[in-house]
Amino acid sequence: MNIYEKAARAVRDRRRADLDEGRLIWQDALARDDALYKAFVAYQAEMIKNAKREPNEIEKARERVLQNMKRLGIGSETVEPSPRCKLCGDTGTIGGKYCKCVKNSAIAANDGNLMLPHADFETVKKTAPKAIAGVYKLAEKYIDAFPSGKPTLLLSGSSGSGKTVLASAVAAAFMERGASAVTVTAFGFVRRALDYHTQFSIPDYTDGFTPMLDCDLLVIDDLGTENTLKNVTKEYLYTVINERWIRGKHTLITTNLDAKSIMTRYGESIASRLFDKNKSQLCLIEGKNDRLN
């Protein structure tokens, strides 16, 4: 079972559990309250008359049921809760494709402890050094333009210049808008790639690599600090970047490297996609190392 089908099944199971809980509350209320029971029996009788197109007082009967429910502190939402996902109605799919709620759930389940700590964008913007205020304005435009605008954003700067905090805040802002985001260190990326490379053929292997292809925003932090593993690092980095580049999906990368160093380390295929002027923005962060203060 792939990660999305597992998440979709969890969504459907959750819906059944919600409905079962509502039915238990309703059945218990009918069993312990005679007035509610009589009102509901009368309502059912009026429903039958209505179905046969006979004169009926279905609305009055329904109102008596609701009054008794209110007396007992039972709301309609308690008895029959609304689906948690308004898009798919907790079915997990829309038009034969997995709903965004399923993708978000699958991504969250597979991020594990590789995720960066998310920071509130507005909070970190207020505390950001004045020297990089312009960078936050650029990031704000990047957030507001989603799902349009140039999808690739590279933040290049020295250690301690605030790249990771900003990238995490951008990811949090995307999720507040209902988008899915995966945030991973370059080391974590290679770890996932290696796991996938060596285990994908094992039966029932849970693929933690796919969410990086499918999420609305992928953040790779500290590119250039990861180990270079033969047949893994460059190959899988290219796969992810190229796939997202083709599909126009948003990718945010932080790095200590400049454009020339990225070209040298990763080659033209990766660099040409990261620096595609039609799809990418490169932002140089010039600031002191705040960790040394």
Side-chain angles (χ1 to χ4, degrees):
M1 184 187 304
N2 67 45
I3 59 171
Y4 292 134
E5 181 52 36
K6 185 177 180 180
R9 179 175 292 184
V11 167
R12 295 191 292 269
D13 287 347
R14 184 185 65 193
R15 177 60 180 166
R16 283 192 289 269
D18 287 344
L19 292 174
D20 286 345
E21 184 178 357
R23 279 192 287 269
L24 287 173
I25 293 172
W26 176 247
Q27 290 168 1
D28 179 66
L30 288 175
R32 65 186 172 84
D33 192 89
D34 190 55
L36 175 62
Y37 177 78
K38 289 179 178 179
F40 183 62
V41 169
Y43 176 59
Q44 288 180 310
E46 297 301 320
M47 287 179 66
I48 293 172
K49 291 180 184 178
N50 185 59
K52 292 180 178 180
R53 299 184 182 277
E54 296 177 357
N56 62 81
E57 295 185 337
I58 189 170
E59 290 303 322
K60 289 183 179 180
R62 179 175 182 276
E63 184 59 31
R64 283 194 290 272
V65 172
L66 292 174
Q67 288 174 354
N68 278 281
M69 289 173 62
K70 184 177 181 180
R71 174 176 57 81
L72 295 171
I74 303 172
S76 299
E77 185 68 19
T78 303
V79 176
E80 189 172 356
S82 299
R84 302 192 193 191
C85 179
K86 306 302 181 185
L87 297 176
C88 69
D90 287 350
T91 62
T93 58
I94 301 175
K97 296 182 178 180
Y98 290 118
C99 178
K100 181 176 287 188
C101 71
V102 169
K103 290 189 175 183
N104 288 350
S105 177
I107 287 167
N110 279 275
D111 267 340
N113 56 15
L114 297 177
M115 288 185 66
L116 303 173
H118 287 159
D120 178 70
F121 187 86
E122 292 301 320
T123 300
V124 298
K125 184 176 73 171
K126 291 176 182 177
T127 58
K130 291 183 179 180
I132 62 171
V135 180
Y136 274 81
K137 288 183 180 180
L138 175 64
E140 208 160 19
K141 290 180 180 179
Y142 182 71
I143 294 165
D144 292 339
F146 176 80
S148 301
K150 293 183 178 181
T152 303
L153 176 60
L154 282 89
L155 302 178
S156 176
S158 59
S159 297
S161 57
K163 303 186 301 297
T164 297
V165 173
L166 175 54
S168 299
V170 170
F174 266 71
M175 289 190 291
E176 286 176 3
R177 287 162 170 75
S180 57
V182 168
T183 58
V184 63
T185 64
F187 173 82
F189 178 93
V190 172
R191 175 176 160 186
R192 287 189 182 197
L194 183 61
D195 285 346
Y196 181 80
H197 186 72
T198 56
Q199 301 178 46
F200 73 93
S201 60
I202 296 176
D204 300 323
Y205 171 64
T206 300
D207 176 12
F209 190 74
T210 301
M212 292 194 288
L213 296 173
D214 290 346
C215 60
D216 295 318
L217 172 69
L218 171 64
V219 175
I220 302 177
D221 186 48
D222 269 347
L223 187 70
T225 62
E226 74 285 353
N227 294 326
T228 301
L229 304 180
K230 186 178 180 181
N231 298 326
V232 174
T233 303
K234 292 181 182 179
E235 288 76 7
Y236 281 95
L237 183 62
Y238 173 78
T239 297
V240 170
I241 289 176
N242 184 60
E243 180 70 15
R244 297 184 68 81
W245 179 80
I246 290 172
R247 294 163 63 182
K249 298 182 77 66
H250 282 56
T251 305
L252 192 163
I253 295 174
T254 74
T255 181
N256 295 343
L257 305 177
D258 57 20
K260 183 178 179 180
S261 298
I262 288 176
M263 172 72 82
T264 300
R265 181 179 175 91
Y266 299 105
E268 184 178 355
S269 295
I270 291 176
S272 64
R273 284 152 180 76
L274 292 181
F275 301 118
D276 179 350
K277 63 181 180 180
N278 295 314
K279 294 186 177 183
S280 304
Q281 302 176 76
L282 172 61
C283 180
L284 300 176
I285 301 178
E286 298 178 357
K288 61 182 180 180
N289 189 335
D290 286 337
R291 300 195 197 107
L292 300 179
N293 291 342

